[in-house]
Structures are given as C-alpha cells and as structure tokens.
Amino acid sequence: MTTAWFSLRRRLLGLLLGGVAAAWLVTMVFSYLDAHHEVDELFDAQLAQAAQTLLALASHDGGDGIEDLGDITHKYQRRLRFQIWQADGKLLMRSKNAPTTPLTEAYGFSETRGPEGHWRHFSQWNEAHGLQVQVSENHHIRDDLIGHIAWRLLFPALFGLPLIGFWVWLATRQGLASLDGIARQIASRAPQQLQPLCPASAPEEIRTMLEALNGLFQRVETALEGERRFTADAAHELRTPLAALQTQLQVALRARDGDERDRSLQQLQSGLSRASHLVDQMLQLARLDPESGLPDPQTVDLGRLAEAVCADLGPLILGKNIDFDLDAADDCIVIGQNEWLRVLIRNLVDNAIRYTPDGGAVRVSLTRADGHCRLSVQDSGPGIPVNDRAAVLRRFHRLDQGGQPGSGLGLAIVARIAELHGARLELGETAVTGGLTVTVHWPA
C-alpha cells in the first residue's frame, strides 16, 4: 500500500484562507442584502413622505389647469417624477418628465417595467378622496447606491485576502518549523541510538506522536537487548554440548577395540540428540519472540490436542513404567494457534515424564468452568522450590534436579506461548505426591 503524501503547510493555508474567504463572502452577501433592504425602506419612506407633502399642498390649491414645475436641473430629478390627479380624472399638476397619463393604476406601492425602465410608484388619495398623488422613482437610483455599497464591501477583500494569505503562510511556516528540526534530529541518529527523543520545544499537537515514537524506541531497544541476550545465552549453551561431542569423537577415533568405539559412538549419538533438542527449542523460541499476537487464531480443541500429544509420548511413558492418567473434558475449546498450543502441552508433559522417577505418577487434566479452560499437569518428581519458581521461567535457567538433561528453555517457551494466548501460567506443588503442578488458565 503506497502512502498518499500531502503538504501540511498547503493544506493549512488552503483551509484557513478558504474559511476566511467563505466567511468574508457570507458576510458580504448578508451585508449586501441587508443594505439593499434598508435602502429600499429608506427610499419607499421618502416616496411616501413626498407624496403626502404634495397632497397636503395640493389640497389648499384650487388651480384648475395643469401646472409644470419647470426644467430639470439635477441629475436625480430625471429619475423622479410625480402627478396630482383630481377625482374626475383631470391632471392637476405634474413634474417636467412625467407623462400626461397616470403613472400607475395601483394604490399604494407598485412597480412597472417598460421601455422607460424600471420604476417604483406610490399612489395615495386625500381624506376627501378628491385628489390623488402619484410619485415615481427610477430604480437606477437605488441600484447605483446598492452598487456603491457593494463595491465598498468588496474593495477591502481584494487587498485584505492577499495580506491575510501572506500572514497565514508565514504563521504556518513558523509554526511547523519545529517539525523540520525534529525530523533532522531523527535523521541524524545512528541505528544504535534508541534513547528517547526529547526536543527543546515541540507543538503540543505532536506530543502523542513523540510519545508513541519513544515507546517504539523502547520496544526496539528491549527487543535488541533480548536478541543480544538470546544470542549470548545460545552460544554459551551450545558450547558445552559441542565440546562434549568433540571429546566423544576424539575418544571414538582413539578407541583400542570395537567395544570402546561403540560406547563412544553411543555417547556421541546421545550428545547429538541433546544438541538437536536444544537447537529445536531455540528455534521455537526465536519464532515466538517477534510475535506480538496470534498469527492465525482459530478454535482449538484442547482435549483432542492433549490426547494426540500424550499418544506421541507413549514410548517415554512406557519406558519409565509411569502411572499416567489423562482426564480431558469434551468442551475445552479455546481461540489460539494450534501448533503453538501443541508445543505448550508437549513441553509440560515431556518435563513431567523426564523428572518423574521410574514407577512414578503423572496426571494430566483438562477442565472447563464458568467459560474458563484449565490445563493441569502434575508429576511425582522433585518439584521446584517456591523461591526458584519465577527463575525457571527465564531462558536457559536449570535447577539440575534429578540429573535429567535439558536446555532450560522448555518452561520459557511455555510461558511465552501462554502470554501470546492471554493465558495465565502458575507453578505449584502437587498435594498428593509433593511433585510439581503446572496450571495454565485460559480466559473465557
């Protein structure tokens, strides 16, 4: 999966400028509409006031002819006109630019559109209903004023937005400069430098990322330390069997007769078996270490798995004449990795058989209660003292009890597999025989 890279600076710049521009645009539109409404209200009030003034004056004038008010001297006069009509339809007075026909047939406010343009009218009768005044205003007056207001609103945005954009660009560049410093600090580190990253200053927003990165450094350091310790312990443990093999080989080469050579070869074969067992266990542990979870979780029947493992170990049980008993419930089903659980059960049962003396007893039981599965392996061997039970779970730690060969990895592998399955491992003492009891509890 490829990463879709993007510029945080450009994204912040786009979001901030886009938000400011959108807010400015909404404000401009709202201001324009509000100003348009207020201008219309103002001019309508002026129309009504002019009509009422003319009506009051005409009510005291008894002239019978049409009176013209002279030439138009102001540009806005060409966009204003009025008429005064008598009730019998006679035109009493009009402005120079007004026609001799009624401006509107409607009463109150009205509008008309035609060859002469877009006009706003107001018509009103006096109380005696003898005179009617009609006042008209060309909409260009309002449109010019609204356009002037809109330009005054737009003009600051034309210069303000570039200035805001430049300032936002500087601010984001300065604010994100610390990220470049942290990146350079990480890039300059050597592979073995895994100490926590502690910059002199950093944004609060990347604290969680730095904490996660330092946590990763700590986990990598722990993993590398484990690898170094594992390598050192493995080299130490392999040195002894390899030296013994070399000695037995030299004895076999210098044997004076066939019987001595056969005994040396038998010892050599036994040493090779122990070395092979040690290598197998180290490989198992090496495969388990990098895992942080189950690679292929599935349902596992622990009862059937235990029966199969015990059947494989049958020759060892018969060879030592051990009183062996397996009691497995039918409903011990857990979620886990089948092969790893097989290794867990095999290591526990194999240890119990190895440390149980000839004619001893080994008990393996699988039970289920309240949704929890429980595996218990008991033996009649020497057991493990309480003070040593935590130590035997560490790698390559052996107690040298019973003279049995081993690598000190069996219980360490069991503990790691139990940990990966979320199970709890307990070591205790067998109540009847005084040997060791190993119990594994799986969660519900």
Side-chain angles (χ1 to χ4, degrees):
M1 179 179 179
T2 57
T3 302
W5 298 102
F6 64 91
S7 172
L8 184 58
R9 288 189 179 92
R10 286 197 295 269
R11 175 168 290 188
L12 289 176
L13 188 63
L15 290 175
L16 291 174
L17 283 182
V20 171
W24 207 321
L25 179 61
V26 170
T27 303
M28 287 175 55
V29 171
F30 177 79
S31 300
Y32 174 80
L33 295 177
D34 184 65
H36 199 296
H37 174 73
E38 293 299 327
V39 167
D40 284 340
E41 291 289 333
L42 176 63
F43 278 89
D44 284 349
Q46 290 179 348
L47 278 179
Q49 185 178 9
Q52 292 169 1
T53 302
L54 290 172
L55 192 60
L57 292 174
S59 298
H60 297 86
D61 188 359
D64 295 330
I66 299 176
E67 182 176 349
D68 291 332
L69 297 182
D71 295 333
I72 297 173
T73 60
H74 195 275
K75 62 177 183 177
Y76 281 147
Q77 282 186 274
R78 289 189 292 270
R79 299 182 180 182
L80 295 170
R81 59 189 183 180
F82 71 90
Q83 296 173 340
I84 300 178
W85 295 85
Q86 292 182 339
D88 57 2
K90 180 180 179 181
L91 180 62
L92 183 64
M93 185 182 295
R94 70 180 180 88
S95 60
K96 187 68 175 179
N97 59 343
T100 56
T101 57
L103 297 176
T104 180
E105 300 295 336
Y107 180 76
F109 288 102
S110 62
E111 293 187 6
T112 60
R113 295 177 184 270
E116 297 181 350
H118 182 194
W119 292 84
R120 176 78 168 170
H121 312 289
F122 180 75
S123 176
Q124 184 175 355
W125 290 88
N126 63 357
E127 293 182 1
H129 215 271
L131 293 175
Q132 182 188 34
V133 174
Q134 293 183 352
V135 183
S136 297
E137 179 185 71
N138 196 307
H139 240 286
H140 285 300
I141 299 176
R142 306 185 183 201
D143 294 339
D144 289 346
L145 183 58
I146 292 298
H148 183 71
I149 293 174
W151 172 249
R152 287 297 182 92
L153 292 173
L154 181 62
F155 185 77
L158 296 178
F159 294 94
L161 281 179
L163 292 177
I164 292 176
F166 180 70
W167 171 251
V168 170
W169 178 78
L170 286 179
T172 54
R173 182 178 182 180
Q174 181 66 25
L176 297 176
S178 58
L179 298 182
D180 296 332
I182 294 174
R184 288 191 297 269
Q185 185 178 350
I186 296 175
S188 62
R189 283 193 168 196
Q192 64 272 16
Q193 289 181 307
L194 295 174
Q195 63 270 22
L197 188 66
C198 297
S201 64
E204 181 69 25
E205 287 74 15
I206 67 169
R207 171 182 286 187
T208 54
M209 184 182 70
L210 286 179
E211 291 176 350
L213 187 61
N214 288 334
L216 176 61
F217 286 161
Q218 180 63 38
R219 293 193 297 273
V220 172
E221 175 66 23
T222 301
L224 290 178
E225 179 61 28
E227 291 294 334
R228 288 191 291 267
R229 187 172 61 251
F230 178 81
T231 302
D233 291 342
H236 174 74
E237 290 296 324
L238 283 172
R239 185 183 299 114
T240 300
L242 289 177
L245 289 175
Q246 186 176 8
T247 301
Q248 294 298 331
L249 181 59
Q250 292 175 354
V251 171
L253 292 175
R254 297 174 183 176
R256 293 185 295 271
D257 54 35
D259 293 339
E260 185 178 356
R261 183 181 298 107
D262 290 342
R263 286 193 301 271
S264 299
L265 291 176
Q266 289 177 356
Q267 292 294 329
L268 183 62
Q269 183 180 9
S270 178
L272 285 173
S273 298
R274 289 194 297 271
S276 176
H277 179 70
L278 173 61
V279 171
D280 287 341
Q281 288 196 316
M282 286 193 297
L283 289 176
Q284 288 177 355
L285 198 56
R287 284 194 296 267
L288 291 173
D289 273 345
E291 300 293 342
S292 59
L294 299 177
D296 185 22
Q298 54 189 334
T299 57
V300 179
D301 189 338
L302 292 178
R304 293 186 178 181
L305 196 60
E307 291 176 358
V309 170
C310 293
D312 293 339
L313 296 175
L316 290 178
I317 298 172
L318 295 177
K320 299 185 70 172
N321 195 26
I322 291 176
D323 180 11
F324 187 88
D325 181 67
L326 171 62
D327 183 13
D330 295 332
D331 55 350
C332 287
I333 307 296
V334 298
I335 300 298
Q337 216 282 335
N338 186 79
E339 292 304 317
W340 290 1
L341 292 176
R342 179 186 295 274
V343 172
L344 180 146
I345 298 175
R346 182 181 180 88
N347 281 1
L348 290 180
V349 178
D350 183 70
N351 279 353
I353 295 172
R354 287 177 181 272
Y355 287 94
T356 297
D358 292 350
V362 174
R363 299 287 182 266
V364 180
S365 65
L366 272 164
T367 58
R368 182 180 179 89
D370 300 329
H372 298 265
C373 291
R374 176 176 175 271
L375 169 67
S376 175
V377 180
Q378 306 178 41
D379 61 56
S380 57
I384 298 177
V386 176
N387 296 334
D388 294 328
R389 289 174 185 171
V392 297
L393 298 179
R394 297 198 298 266
R395 301 171 182 177
F396 302 107
H397 186 90
R398 299 184 67 247
L399 295 180
D400 194 21
Q401 292 179 335
Q404 293 295 327
S407 60
L409 290 175
L411 288 178
I413 294 174
V414 169
R416 179 59 177 156
I417 294 175
E419 178 186 0
L420 291 173
H421 284 78
R424 187 176 77 256
L425 179 66
E426 294 179 354
L427 304 183
E429 183 177 341
T430 304
V432 179
T433 62
L436 178 67
T437 297
V438 182
T439 307
V440 183
H441 300 268
W442 276 268

